Amino acid sequence: MRGQTTRSPVKLGRPKYLVETPTSAMNDIAFILIVFFLVCASVEPENGRSQVIPRSDKNEKAEASQSTEVGLTPATVTIDGTPYREEEFTPRIRQLLAQKKTEAERVVVLKSQADVPYEHWITMTGIIERAGGIVTLLLEEEQTVNLN
Amino acid sequence: MILRRKTFEATVPSMAMGDIAFLLLIFIVLLARARDESHLVWQPATGTELVKPANRNASVVIDKQNVTYLNGRAIPVESLGAELESLLGDLPAGGRTVLFKVHKDVIAEFFEPAIEAVSEAGGELHHVLEPASNRTLAP
């Protein structure tokens, strides 16, 4: 059977496309991510309020002069022994400090009970400072006495 | 007949560069973590008219457990004054800022001695607070 050609089926392979993920930029992406996390971790809150607390020697002078004494407990606040509610305290301390002329007179001796929380303390000292007062602390000193 | 010399390629192997950079970064991160205070648990009290400190020379934290830390290191309150004095040295006034971060529920028994120590060391207190409006009210 000459002239008859047998045709075998031609297999056409599918074209191979690039299916791999391009990894050349991975290092750069990782770097940028790490820098981002580092910056996030290092941002700490710093906003707040500055406060000047005179040293002890000044406190002693202040105590000698006619300074105002504010007493703090977790629930109450007193001025020179008289208790006030928080809303009454602000105008009263402003009124008292407005009469004081010198820096030494504007010293407010703060005597806090041991169980006063910081949040209450910072609110009250803020009120005093905005009224023009200079806060000093009155702390109880512990002394050890040896008995022979 | 001319025999040509074989040419060898001399390139710096850059395959491991990414791994080396990663290891370096992890090392630096670990060093940074040892210095910062992000591991300390404290919640700031609220305040108004808050300002940023001009500088920061030291940081005192009193955490939820009433433990005092100076620059991220636990320290007894009794030695806080002396440590601060050596840290602040002869820095001029205005440049002796001490960040004071106290958990809002810590009581005066613990934070007042620390305030006194800062004052005795000649530090300028800067209470770190949170704006009053940011606090979500507890149910």
Side-chain angles (χ1 to χ4, degrees):
Chain A
M1 300 278 281
R2 284 193 101 189
Q4 199 175 5
T5 53
T6 53
R7 287 186 181 177
S8 59
V10 177
K11 280 185 181 176
L12 288 172
R14 282 188 182 175
K16 283 183 181 173
Y17 297 109
L18 182 67
V19 287
E20 275 180 25
T21 319
T23 53
S24 58
M26 279 296 173
N27 280 344
D28 299 332
I29 295 167
F31 257 110
I32 288 166
L33 275 174
I34 288 174
V35 169
F36 170 74
F37 287 129
L38 267 179
V39 169
C40 281
S42 62
V43 173
E44 284 178 15
E46 285 190 348
N47 283 357
R49 209 181 74 216
S50 296
Q51 190 176 46
V52 179
I53 306 269
R55 288 192 188 199
S56 296
D57 53 341
K58 283 186 183 176
N59 291 4
E60 282 159 21
K61 281 177 200 168
E63 279 168 36
S65 68
Q66 287 183 335
S67 54
T68 313
E69 190 180 302
V70 171
L72 270 186
T73 70
T76 61
V77 55
T78 62
I79 301 174
D80 294 327
T82 314
Y84 291 93
R85 273 183 259 148
E86 202 174 313
E87 59 268 23
E88 296 169 337
F89 175 75
T90 310
R92 181 67 188 136
I93 196 81
R94 270 191 197 153
Q95 187 192 352
L96 271 173
L97 291 170
Q99 298 161 6
K100 315 271 184 176
K101 303 290 177 208
T102 62
E103 201 173 276
E105 283 177 331
R106 284 191 283 111
V107 167
V108 176
V109 179
L110 187 70
K111 194 176 178 183
S112 309
Q113 262 187 13
D115 54 350
V116 173
Y118 179 69
E119 183 133 49
H120 184 50
W121 189 93
I122 202 79
T123 307
M124 287 305 164
T125 54
I127 292 170
I128 295 167
E129 284 173 351
R130 277 195 293 277
I134 300 162
V135 176
T136 66
L137 305 182
L138 188 63
L139 301 179
E140 287 175 11
E141 283 184 13
E142 281 183 17
Q143 282 188 337
T144 310
V145 180
N146 292 323
L147 297 172
N148 292 328
Chain B
M1 187 180 171
I2 299 167
L3 285 174
R4 285 188 182 171
R5 277 189 185 178
K6 280 184 182 176
T7 52
F8 296 101
E9 277 187 27
T11 52
V12 182
S14 57
M15 277 293 288
M17 281 296 171
D19 300 332
I20 294 166
F22 257 111
L23 287 174
L24 272 174
L25 273 173
I26 290 167
F27 172 70
I28 293 164
V29 169
L30 284 178
L31 273 186
R33 275 193 70 81
R35 281 189 178 189
D36 78 4
E37 295 161 342
S38 56
H39 61 289
L40 304 179
V41 183
W42 68 284
Q43 195 182 347
T46 53
T48 52
E49 297 170 26
L50 309 184
V51 289
K52 265 193 183 294
N55 52 60
R56 52 168 295 179
N57 301 100
S59 169
V60 174
V61 179
I62 304 179
D63 73 351
K64 258 185 173 177
Q65 311 295 323
N66 303 323
V67 181
T68 308
Y69 298 84
L70 175 61
N71 290 339
R73 184 168 51 91
I75 188 173
V77 184
E78 295 78 37
S79 56
L80 180 64
E83 291 265 352
L84 271 173
E85 258 180 37
S86 64
L87 262 177
L88 297 173
D90 296 325
L91 286 171
R96 303 173 67 89
T97 309
V98 177
L99 295 187
F100 198 63
K101 305 170 182 180
V102 182
H103 180 65
K104 64 186 181 73
D105 295 327
V106 168
I107 56 172
E109 186 184 350
F110 298 102
F111 69 79
E112 278 198 336
I115 290 175
E116 196 200 15
V118 175
S119 165
E120 288 298 315
E124 290 151 2
L125 265 178
H126 182 87
H127 296 270
V128 176
L129 305 171
E130 142 182 288
S133 55
N134 278 9
R135 178 68 54 84
T136 50
L137 293 171

